[in-house]
């Protein structure tokens, strides 16, 4: 039996003050080159903030979805009514704009800030000064499962949207322009 590392970012909305440092640092960390630009629309964490309803809800980008749900959810917790789909982590959902790259439309998925050498803790956790985000790691036994890399997920999403022929044509054009 193989072992897998389970990474958990614990979210405590009661502690969040809506400062959005997590969004800014996540976006900067994933810029190319790293830290060259800060565009929170590219963050893999989004903070739903409604000061009138006293809502501060950090949400991490999760798996990619190709189609919106047939039924939407709407939570009311301790008297606070959250927006439809507020807790949903799906990336690139056609029914909303979060967790999509603003230029390409590609899904933006939290990768736990994987880098070499690894960070001690994900960046959003490090910059959250009020412990609304905290981090835990543990090991679990698992069957080996094939895992699609982010690049493959992105390509699959483009193929689903535009069709294989168009994506292949575009890639051939990009390859030709890079060689030229
Ligand atoms: S850094 Fe922490 S307090 Fe600031 S918005 Fe993010 S989760 Fe909330
Ligand atoms: S763990 Fe890293 S990639 Fe994921 S939301 Fe936090 S800063 Fe972004």
């Amino acid at each position: 039996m193989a072992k897998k590392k389970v990474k958990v970012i614990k979210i405590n909305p009661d502690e969040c003050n809506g400062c959005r440092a997590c969004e800014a640092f996540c976006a900067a960390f994933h810029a190319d080159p790293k830290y060259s630009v800060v565009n929170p629309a590219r963050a893999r964490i989004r903070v739903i903030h409604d000061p009138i309803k006293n809502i501060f809800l950090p949400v991490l980008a999760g798996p990619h979805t190709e189609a919106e749900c047939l039924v939407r959810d709407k939570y009311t917790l301790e008297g606070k009514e959250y927006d439809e789909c507020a807790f949903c982590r799906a990336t690139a959902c056609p029914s909303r704009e979060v967790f999509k790259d603003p230029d390409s439309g590609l899904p933006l998925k939290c990768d736990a800030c994987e880098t070499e050498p690894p960070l001690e803790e994900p960046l959003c956790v490090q910059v959250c000064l009020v412990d609304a985000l905290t981090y835990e790691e543990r090991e679990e036994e698992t069957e080996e499962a094939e895992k699609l890399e982010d690049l493959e997920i992105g390509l699959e999403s483009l193929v689903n949207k535009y069709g294989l022929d168009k994506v292949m044509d575009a890639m051939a054009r990009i390859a030709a322009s890079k060689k030229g």
Side-chain angles (χ1 to χ4, degrees):
M1 193 75 85
K3 295 237 180 197
K4 70 173 176 188
K5 190 183 277 184
V6 179
K7 302 174 175 184
V8 183
I9 294 178
K10 291 182 166 181
I11 298 170
N12 184 348
D14 286 342
E15 296 298 331
C16 177
N17 58 23
C19 73
R20 299 193 186 274
C22 49
E23 291 182 351
F25 276 83
C26 178
F29 181 81
H30 290 87
D32 187 16
K34 267 189 177 46
Y35 303 113
S36 57
V37 65
V38 179
N39 179 356
R42 294 207 170 94
R44 277 89 168 147
I45 181 167
R46 298 306 290 271
V47 180
I48 295 169
H49 183 191
D50 186 333
I52 294 172
K53 292 187 195 165
N54 193 24
I55 283 174
F56 300 86
L57 178 65
V59 182
L60 295 169
H64 166 235
T65 183
E66 288 172 10
E68 61 188 304
C69 302
L70 293 177
V71 178
R72 298 188 181 184
D73 56 17
K74 189 166 173 71
Y75 284 79
T76 302
L77 298 172
E78 295 182 354
K80 294 181 196 172
E81 192 178 78
Y82 290 80
D83 287 344
E84 282 180 7
C85 311
F87 288 83
C88 182
R89 300 181 55 210
T91 68
C93 175
S95 73
R96 57 182 194 164
E97 287 310 308
V98 293
F99 304 142
K100 265 180 219 169
D101 183 276
D103 297 326
S104 66
L106 287 172
L108 298 170
K109 182 181 169 190
C110 168
D111 58 6
C113 300
E114 276 183 12
T115 189
E116 272 310 323
L119 302 183
E120 225 165 82
E121 286 188 328
L123 208 52
C124 56
V125 174
Q126 291 186 39
V127 301
C128 181
L129 302 180
V130 294
D131 284 348
L133 307 174
T134 49
Y135 184 64
E136 256 181 34
E137 269 182 19
R138 65 172 188 274
E139 282 203 330
E140 278 182 5
E141 292 189 338
T142 178
E143 305 283 346
E144 285 286 3
E146 214 170 290
K147 182 180 143 204
L148 282 180
E149 296 298 331
D150 284 351
L151 174 64
E152 293 171 64
I153 293 170
L155 280 172
E156 194 183 351
S157 145
L158 282 178
V159 168
N160 291 336
K161 188 166 177 188
Y162 298 107
L164 184 58
D165 288 348
K166 278 194 177 169
V167 173
M168 298 284 283
D169 283 352
M171 290 184 67
R173 279 201 304 280
I174 291 168
S177 72
K178 296 276 179 205
K179 280 183 194 157

